[in-house]
Amino acid sequence: METILYIIFSGLMIGILISAPMGPIGVLVIQRTLNRGRRKGLATGLGASLSDIIYCLLTAFGLSFITGFISTHRAILQCIGSIVLVVYGIYLFINNPSKRVELPRTPAHSGTFLRDFATGFLLTFSNPLILFFIIGLFARFSFLDLPTSGLHYVLGFACIAAGAIGWWTGITYLIDKIRGRFTVRSMKRINRAIAIFVLLMAAFGIYDSLGSLLF
């Protein structure tokens, strides 16, 4: 039961953390929500979620060939993964997402759900560098180093999908509700809050892995 709960927790956290940073896709989702309505923004976010899940599956498939190495060097890999998250967290903190994407205001009826979905998918899928972030998250949570069966992995990836979809559902709902008070500065604040959380999580991962290595 404890293993299942950890798989659910780690899957949700990976899904949320992959989606949460306010990069180009995050800015695009927010701008479409503000300019064209929540459904347009959510469609874009769902497209991005599909791309993230595909990259997670590709990462897991690639890493499955070296599961023995991962199991033997779990603490070292967790430490490296946490360091990757530290670097990424610092980048998020100093990054200004409001300068990344600028879209003109368009009528709410323009475009279709499928077109917005495809835009989110292609924009996210065109950035394979996200693989390094996913590897860091997998290593940080030891996602592929659990005594699990195939059903556990299905549960894990379902939770990753749920975390990603839940993030876009929540953020588009929130932006839609506070659209009159939302500014470009708000995106920077969101990024910094996420960065602080990532850094705290990475610091705990480094502490835990160093404890395993030294004692």
Side-chain angles (χ1 to χ4, degrees), residues 19 22 25-26 29 42 45-46 48-49 164-173:
S19 303
M22 288 292 110
I25 188 63
V29 169
L42 181 57
L46 292 178
S49 297
I165 294 172
W167 169 261
W168 292 123
T169 301
I171 197 68
T172 53
Y173 175 82

Side-chain angles (χ1 to χ4, degrees), residues 83-185:
I83 292 173
V84 171
L85 295 186
V86 168
V87 175
Y88 193 72
I90 294 173
Y91 167 77
L92 288 179
F93 191 85
I94 64 176
N95 183 44
N96 185 0
S98 63
K99 296 180 179 180
R100 300 294 298 275
V101 175
E102 292 295 335
L103 290 178
R105 288 188 173 269
T106 54
H109 63 271
S110 63
T112 63
F113 184 93
L114 183 59
R115 184 180 299 175
D116 294 323
F117 182 90
T119 302
F121 174 82
L122 293 174
L123 181 59
T124 306
F125 199 73
S126 64
N127 180 25
L129 292 179
I130 195 175
L131 282 170
F132 293 100
F133 184 41
I134 294 174
I135 291 172
L137 288 173
F138 277 14
R140 166 61 187 85
F141 288 102
S142 302
F143 190 71
L144 300 179
D145 187 35
L146 296 171
T148 57
S149 65
L151 290 177
H152 286 116
Y153 280 117
V154 171
L155 174 63
F157 284 104
C159 288
I160 291 177
I165 294 172
W167 169 261
W168 292 123
T169 301
I171 197 68
T172 53
Y173 175 82
L174 178 63
I175 297 303
D176 187 56
K177 290 299 182 182
I178 64 172
R179 61 171 60 245
R181 300 187 298 274
F182 191 84
T183 64
V184 291
R185 183 175 294 182

